[in-house]
């Protein structure tokens, strides 16, 4: 499986793009973001540092992320909208289904009453009584919606009030449609929780004075079609002036038994009331089924307050908002219960809803009292049924904690706690179960760094020296011993060593001895000033021997300082400087190493003689010499084995038959010996020991100098060996520095 | 276009020239040999030109360091570099100034290089003294033993067993040391071979993106 | 046979190299054994960024066009594997080269790294420093850098001989942690006694694979291991007289 590095989705092996987010999938491997190591595509963790390579949670693209529910603002209605396919919609769908099963009500016939057992109690209050209507028992106090609890019946005629702003009109109410005919009484509302929008409505304490006519811009359509009920309306306590929504203050709810009202003639039925009917099956967004129990006011009689409201310009409301979850019809048995968030519409069962156009008795009485006593202001009187709707503290209900910060401080119940905010039980921690020791060490280091006091230190110009223990003492000790070992043989003749032994010198000596007079010899001078102290003791006897054989030396070098070093030695070894032009031609430096060697082997003419500045073709020592094909022998003086190798390879390729001899440093002896054993070179002199042996064989008079050098070399080597043993013993006993 | 210039063209050129030179070594055709030799000469010229780049880089780096505190050595280096350049260039152009170049080389540059090389011996001796300070494995003992054999067996000691040490050293150099050296060289040779193939096939492109 | 065998080996190596690179691109990434000399480098780079002091890379005296060319190329590839992280941290290392032919290649590595980052103007021409052609001069110059400059760590990778002892000695004297990778005997003998994480011989060629972990490096390393075993088998067969 290949895991998408963006969203973590597992994809089939071989996929190039993620099936989920469409992002490109790694084909060669996953690079660890921490250590940079490449891992196979199926890895979840890095093989080297165990860093997680794939995100733990699937991160969907932005366009597929579901939008979080946005709280409705401005109105105290249930603020949690229904999620698609959520619990809340099920009851509504069921209600619609049920309503569809009931079929459309015949025009003018009203809604057939539902079976007694299937009507929710709260809806039973809303039925328009065909005959005497028994007073409805007030609903339990716990189920009284707050908005209704705050209602106050006006003492007298109530002046039309400003229509409620859009923020205060509940959406569910905006979409209410009254049934065409009398509706069956409904059961009192269930003990659902009171919605906030309803809770904010306060029950008026006294009669309510007639209110100012509503502004023209805020009159809802349905309100303009309301008709004052024909029957007397019992006076009720008017609601408090400050808390009653205007639209609700105009509602006339009878406080006691209400005389049956004659249904209005069909011609006088308001449109909104006529439209109150069972929603059709084909309309999934049908509005709430008609209210049961709403009485139709007698036709023709429109109260003054309503008349003025009707005169107000209609307010075109926007598209109706989504209905809050309100159970307006009885849920048949067997169907899922209404969720708790669904606030019921609570009305006193004993108080029928006045018919359109009919002023409820309580409203009429309140207005009369207000006009008579308070110059138009009628103190509100809370009817009993409304008083019964006052919310009581629920016992045993766990109060949600109030918000403690922000502009929502003090409010409760804003966010559902425990829904979706908890970690799913199946969530796995993203951290590896067992952190690696390296991770633990890093964490400890970080903790230690954080716990240190913050003290700024001045920037140092250079790194602080953290010399190892005994560093200076060791260097001093070694320096003294080495210096003593080197200088002592020069002061005291120490018979510590015998004559030098170099088996390879014999063969070299024999080869050089076979050279004929005036034969050109190509000398590759491959060492510089750093190796000159040793290599001059190696090359010196060999050059002496060649000069003794009357050979013409053609010197070349692939090192920039090679020709200069050669000049120094040649000048010291040539007995007669005047012989120089005839015996030696120094052709200088050839760049390119192997390429330069190959180039010069093919053509020696285009070079310049260093000491005279003449072209090589004009040098006396270069007579008859144009390329490596014209030389009798090649001598390689190399401090490094690579230089010897290059020359051997190039010369063997260009002229396999020309003999090659070498003078190498002691360091290069090991790697140069195979060339001797395989016959690629005819002879070799290596190191100071070989040079001393060659010098002894040649007897050129440099013997005393070699004796000094050999004694110093031998004693220094013994000193270094002793130092190595002493140091090993010291640190073996003393312990290792970690 | 940018990709063509920075990636495709350099890769094609490098691969092409590499293959041409390789074929010139493999197939002794006159045309290929002449192309190979010409390309090699071009490489030598480019390598020589690189010295100029290196010189200016040296001046740039040390001119910046000379302005900081403790930049005396950098200032001396710049001065010495300029003197060397002047002297050697003058020696080439004016034959009378050759002695100055020789003197500068023999009495300044060579002794300095020899001094630094001598320090290497001192440093190696210090390292031998502190050998067991950092490592405590079997290889360290073998290393120490080999060092003792080579150091003590180079010259014939005038002590009983001195010849035996010399023979031991000779055996050590010809057998174990040689074997280890060849094994190391084989491994290095394989690495060099594969890197070379990677460069020839364009898999590695140190010269471009 | 002596003439054919090297060419046969080269052909086999080429085919194996291409095949493993192809497989590595398809996701079959071979694993490599740990090499402390290289495995610590990314962490050292991070530590150098935290301390504000750069790492010092010593690439040796190998020249491009010499027999040390490919060793220097490998050393450069190791540095290149760290270049992107180094410029991202804002603490690019100091690279000391001993041959001017390596200078433009090394400069280009960091110039490209800054270009990829989108800030080519931040490239410092003194990131790569040419010290000197002679090996001892080069070693002395690098030792001077270690002794007198702010250096957090030292990485020696490239072609050097016994003069590497000067460099490692200077770093050890200042307590600077160091890693070393050498393919030459004198350098190994000089570095072994020093407190440094050492990669010897062919392990130097594993540097880019361990640092950059690109498929072509890992595949090449696998081929190298396979060829080594093949050569061992051939040697044994020859020694035993079976071939």
């Amino acid at each position: 499986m290949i895991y998408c590095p963006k969203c973590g989705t597992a994809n089939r092996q071989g996929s190039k793009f993620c099936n989920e987010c469409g992002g490109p999938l790694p084909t060669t491997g996953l690079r660890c973001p921490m250590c940079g190591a490449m891992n196979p595509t199926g890895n979840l963790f890095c093989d080297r540092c165990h860093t997680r390579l794939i995100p733990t949670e699937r991160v969907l693209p932005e366009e597929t992320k579901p939008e979080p529910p946005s709280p409705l603002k401005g109105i105290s209605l249930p603020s949690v909208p229904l999620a698609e396919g959520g619990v809340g919609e099920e009851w509504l769908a069921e209600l619609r289904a049920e309503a569809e099963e009931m079929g459309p009500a015949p025009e003018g016939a009203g809604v057939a009453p539902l079976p007694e057992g299937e009507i929710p109690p709260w809806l039973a209050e809303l039925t328009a009584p065909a005959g005497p209507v028994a007073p409805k028992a007030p609903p339990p106090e716990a189920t009284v919606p707050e908005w209704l609890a705050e209602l106050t019946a006006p003492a007298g005629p109530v002046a039309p009030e400003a229509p409620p702003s859009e923020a205060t009109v509940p959406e569910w109410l905006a979409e209410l449609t009254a049934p065409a005919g009398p509706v069956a009484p409904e059961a009192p509302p269930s003990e659902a929780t009171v919605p906030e929008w309803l809770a904010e409505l306060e029950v008026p304490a006294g009669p309510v004075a007639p209110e100012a006519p509503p502004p023209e811009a805020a009159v809802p359509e349905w309100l303009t079609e309301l008709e004052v009920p024909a029957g007397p309306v019992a006076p009720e306590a008017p609601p408090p002036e400050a808390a009653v929504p205007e639209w609700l203050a105009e509602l006339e709810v009878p406080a006691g038994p209400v005389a049956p009202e004659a249904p209005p003639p069909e011609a006088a039925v308001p449109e909104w009331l006529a439209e109150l009917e069972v929603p059709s099956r084909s309309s999934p967004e049908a509005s709430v089924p008609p209210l049961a129990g709403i009485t139709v006011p007698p036709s023709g009689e429109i109260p003054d307050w309503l008349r003025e409201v009707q005169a107000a310009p209609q307010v075109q409301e926007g598209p109706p908002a989504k209905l809050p979850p309100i159970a307006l019809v009885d849920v048949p048995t067997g169907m899922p219960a209404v969720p708790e968030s669904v606030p019921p519409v609570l009305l006193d069962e004993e108080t029928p809803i006045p018919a359109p156009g009919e002023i409820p008795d309580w409203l009429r009485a309140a207005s009369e009292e207000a006009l008579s006593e308070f110059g138009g202001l009628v103190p509100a009187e809370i009817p009993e049924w409304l008083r019964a709707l006052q919310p009581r503290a629920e016992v045993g209900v766990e109060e949600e904690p109030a918000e403690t910060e922000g502009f929502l401080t003090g409010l409760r119940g804003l966010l559902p706690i425990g829904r979706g905010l908890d970690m799913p039980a199946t969530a796995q921690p993203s951290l590896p179960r067992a952190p690696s020791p390296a991770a633990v060490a890093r964490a400890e280091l970080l903790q230690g760094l954080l716990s240190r006091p913050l003290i700024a230190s001045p920037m140092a110009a250079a790194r602080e020296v953290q010399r190892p223990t005994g560093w200076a003492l060791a260097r001093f000790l070694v320096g003294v011993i080495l210096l003593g070992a080197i200088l002592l043989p020069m002061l005291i003749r120490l018979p510590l060593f015998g004559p030098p032994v170099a088996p390879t010198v014999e063969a070299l000596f024999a080869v050089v001895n076979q050279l004929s007079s005036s034969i050109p010899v190509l000398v590759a001078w491959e060492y510089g000033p750093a190796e000159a102290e040793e290599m001059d003791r190696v090359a010196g006897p060999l050059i002496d021997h060649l000069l003794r054989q009357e050979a013409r030396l053609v010197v070349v070098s692939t090192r920039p300082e090679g020709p200069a070093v050669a000049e120094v030695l040649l000048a010291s070894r040539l007995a007669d400087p005047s012989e120089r032009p005839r015996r030696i031609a120094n052709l200088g430096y050839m760049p390119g190493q192997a390429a330069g060697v190959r180039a010069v082997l093919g053509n020696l003419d285009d070079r310049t003689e260093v000491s005279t500045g003449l072209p090589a073709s004009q040098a006396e020592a270069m007579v008859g010499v144009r390329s490596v094909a014209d030389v009798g022998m090649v001598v390689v003086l190399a401090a490094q084995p690579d230089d010897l190798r290059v020359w051997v390879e190039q010369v063997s390729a260009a002229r396999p038959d020309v003999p090659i001899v070498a003078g190498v440093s002691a360091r290069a002896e090991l790697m140069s010996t195979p060339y001797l054993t395989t016959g690629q070179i005819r002879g070799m002199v290596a190191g100071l020991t070989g040079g001393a042996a060659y010098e002894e064989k040649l007897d050129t008079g440099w013997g005393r100098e070699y004796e000094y050098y050999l004694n110093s070399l031998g004693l220094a080597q013994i000193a270094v060996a002793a130092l190595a043993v002493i140091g090993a013993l010291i640190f073996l006993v003393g312990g290792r520095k970690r | 276009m940018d990709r063509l210039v920075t990636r495709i063209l350099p890769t094609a050129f490098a691969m092409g020239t590499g293959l041409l030179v390789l074929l010139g070594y493999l197939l002794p055709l006159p045309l290929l040999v002449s192309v190979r030799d010409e390309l090699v000469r071009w490489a030598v010229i480019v390598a020589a030109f690189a010295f100029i780049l290196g010189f200016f880089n040296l001046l740039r780096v040390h001119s910046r360091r000379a302005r900081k505190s403790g930049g005396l050595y950098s200032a001396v280096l710049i001065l010495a570099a300029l003197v060397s350049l002047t002297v050697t260039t003058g020696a080439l152009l004016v034959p009378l100034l050759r002695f100055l170049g020789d003197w500068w080389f023999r009495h300044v540059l060579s002794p300095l290089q020899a001094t630094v090389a001598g320090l290497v011996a001192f440093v190696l001796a210090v390292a031998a003294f502190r050998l067991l300070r950092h490592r405590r494995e079997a290889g360290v003992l073998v290393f120490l033993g080999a060092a003792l054999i080579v150091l003590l067996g180079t010259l014939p000691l005038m002590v009983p067993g001195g010849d035996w040490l010399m023979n031991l050293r000779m055996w050590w150099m010809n057998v174990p040391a040689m074997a280890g050296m060849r094994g190391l060289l084989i491994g290095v040779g394989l690495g060099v071979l594969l890197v070379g193939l990677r460069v020839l096939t364009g898999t590695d492109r140190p010269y471009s993106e | 046979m002596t003439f054919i065998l090297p060419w046969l080996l080269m052909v086999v190596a080429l085919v194996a190299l291409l095949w493993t690179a192809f497989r590595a691109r398809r996701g079959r990434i071979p694993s490599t054994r740990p090499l402390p000399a290289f495995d610590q480098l990314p962490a050292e780079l991070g530590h150098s960024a935290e301390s504000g002091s750069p790492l010092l890379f010593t690439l040796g005296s190998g020249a491009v066009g010499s027999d040390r060319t490919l060793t220097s190329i490998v050393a450069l590839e190791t540095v290149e594997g760290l270049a992107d992280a180094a410029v991202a941290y804002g603490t690019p290392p100091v690279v000391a080269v001993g041959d001017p032919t390596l200078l433009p290649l090394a400069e280009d590595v960091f110039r490209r790294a800054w270009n990829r980052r989108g800030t080519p103007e931040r490239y410092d021409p003194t990131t790569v420093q040419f010290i000197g052609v002679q090996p001892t001069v080069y070693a002395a110059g690098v030792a001077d850098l270690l002794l007198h400059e702010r250096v957090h760590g030292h990485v020696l990778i490239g072609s050097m001989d016994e003069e590497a002892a000067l460099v490692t000695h200077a770093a050890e004297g200042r307590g600077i942690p160091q890693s070393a990778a050498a393919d030459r005997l004198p350098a190994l003998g000089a570095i072994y006694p020093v407190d440094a994480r050492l990669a010897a011989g062919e392990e130097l060629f594993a540097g880019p694979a361990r640092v950059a972990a690109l498929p072509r490096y890992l595949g090449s390393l696998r081929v190298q291991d396979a060829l080594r075993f093949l050569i061992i088998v051939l040697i044994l067969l020859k020694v035993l007289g079976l071939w």
Side-chain angles (χ1 to χ4, degrees), chain C residues 123-142:
Chain C
Y123 167 71
D124 184 3
T126 60
T127 299
V128 183
Q129 300 184 10
F130 167 64
I131 306 295
V133 177
Q134 288 81 13
T136 49
V137 171
Y138 172 72
V142 175

Side-chain angles (χ1 to χ4, degrees), chain C residues 115-202:
Chain C
N115 282 344
R116 284 191 293 269
R117 183 131 185 94
T119 54
E121 68 282 356
R122 292 190 62 184
Y123 167 71
D124 184 3
T126 60
T127 299
V128 183
Q129 300 184 10
F130 167 64
I131 306 295
V133 177
Q134 288 81 13
T136 49
V137 171
Y138 172 72
V142 175
D144 175 68
L145 282 177
L146 289 165
L147 289 172
H148 297 109
E149 295 294 320
R150 290 191 62 190
V151 173
H152 178 81
H154 176 233
V155 181
L156 189 151
I157 174 170
S159 189
M160 293 189 77
D161 288 316
E162 67 276 1
E163 68 272 5
L166 284 174
V167 178
T168 55
H169 181 80
E172 189 181 18
R174 294 204 70 193
I176 298 174
Q178 47 186 340
S179 301
D183 64 337
R184 301 174 67 83
L185 276 174
L188 289 173
I191 297 171
Y192 187 77
V194 180
D195 184 16
R197 297 178 289 265
L198 181 62
E202 58 181 349

Side-chain angles (χ1 to χ4, degrees), chain A residues 531 559 638-644 665 667-668, chain C residues 68 135 161 184:
Chain A
E531 305 99 350
R559 291 201 174 197
Q640 296 183 7
D642 293 329
D643 297 322
L644 175 65
S665 64
R667 181 219 354 198
Chain C
R68 306 187 189 187
D161 288 316
R184 301 174 67 83

Side-chain angles (χ1 to χ4, degrees), chain A residues 302-331:
Chain A
I302 301 174
D304 296 338
W305 63 271
L306 193 59
R307 196 174 297 115
E308 293 179 9
V309 169
Q310 285 180 336
Q314 302 298 318
V315 175
Q316 293 293 332
E317 296 183 350
K322 192 172 183 181
L323 277 179
I326 299 176
L328 296 177
V329 296
D330 188 16
V331 179

Side-chain angles (χ1 to χ4, degrees), chain A residues 478-498:
Chain A
V478 171
V480 166
I481 291 174
L482 273 183
L483 201 60
I486 291 169
L487 293 177
L488 192 62
M490 296 184 178
L491 303 174
I492 304 172
R493 198 161 186 168
L494 297 173
L496 288 176
F497 307 103

Side-chain angles (χ1 to χ4, degrees), chain A residues 199-294:
Chain A
E200 291 177 4
L201 294 178
E202 297 177 1
V203 178
V208 176
E211 298 178 358
E216 297 181 351
V219 177
E221 293 178 352
W222 64 271
L223 198 59
T224 59
E225 299 172 358
L226 276 180
E227 298 181 17
V228 180
V233 178
E236 292 186 355
E241 296 180 0
V244 177
E246 297 169 350
W247 63 272
L248 196 59
E250 298 169 7
L251 283 178
E252 298 180 8
V253 179
V258 179
E261 299 173 350
E266 292 184 1
V269 175
E271 294 178 358
W272 67 270
L273 205 57
E275 293 170 3
L276 283 180
E277 58 184 7
V278 177
S280 62
R281 204 177 293 270
S282 59
S283 167
E285 297 181 351
S287 55
V288 178
L291 286 172
I294 296 180

Side-chain angles (χ1 to χ4, degrees), chain B residues 34-73:
Chain B
S34 63
V35 168
R36 174 203 73 196
D37 291 341
E38 195 62 30
L39 288 174
V40 169
R41 270 195 288 273
W42 290 0
V44 171
I45 294 170
V46 170
F49 181 74
F51 274 92
I52 302 175
L53 295 178
F55 181 74
F56 282 113
N57 177 273
L58 198 75
L59 290 181
R60 171 186 280 169
V61 167
H62 287 277
S63 63
R64 187 180 291 189
R65 286 172 66 180
R67 286 193 285 267
K68 295 185 205 172
S69 63
L72 178 63
Y73 295 108

Side-chain angles (χ1 to χ4, degrees), chain B residues 50-118:
Chain B
F51 274 92
I52 302 175
L53 295 178
F55 181 74
F56 282 113
N57 177 273
L58 198 75
L59 290 181
R60 171 186 280 169
V61 167
H62 287 277
S63 63
R64 187 180 291 189
R65 286 172 66 180
R67 286 193 285 267
K68 295 185 205 172
S69 63
L72 178 63
Y73 295 108
S74 294
V76 170
L77 185 143
I78 294 174
L79 183 65
L82 293 175
V83 168
S84 294
L85 181 66
T86 307
V87 166
T88 51
T89 306
L92 286 174
L93 297 176
V94 181
L96 289 176
L97 293 178
R98 279 197 60 205
F99 76 96
L100 200 62
D102 291 342
W103 182 89
W104 183 256
F105 178 80
R106 287 189 196 188
H107 298 284
V108 179
L109 296 182
S110 292
L112 285 174
Q113 289 192 31
T115 304
V116 176

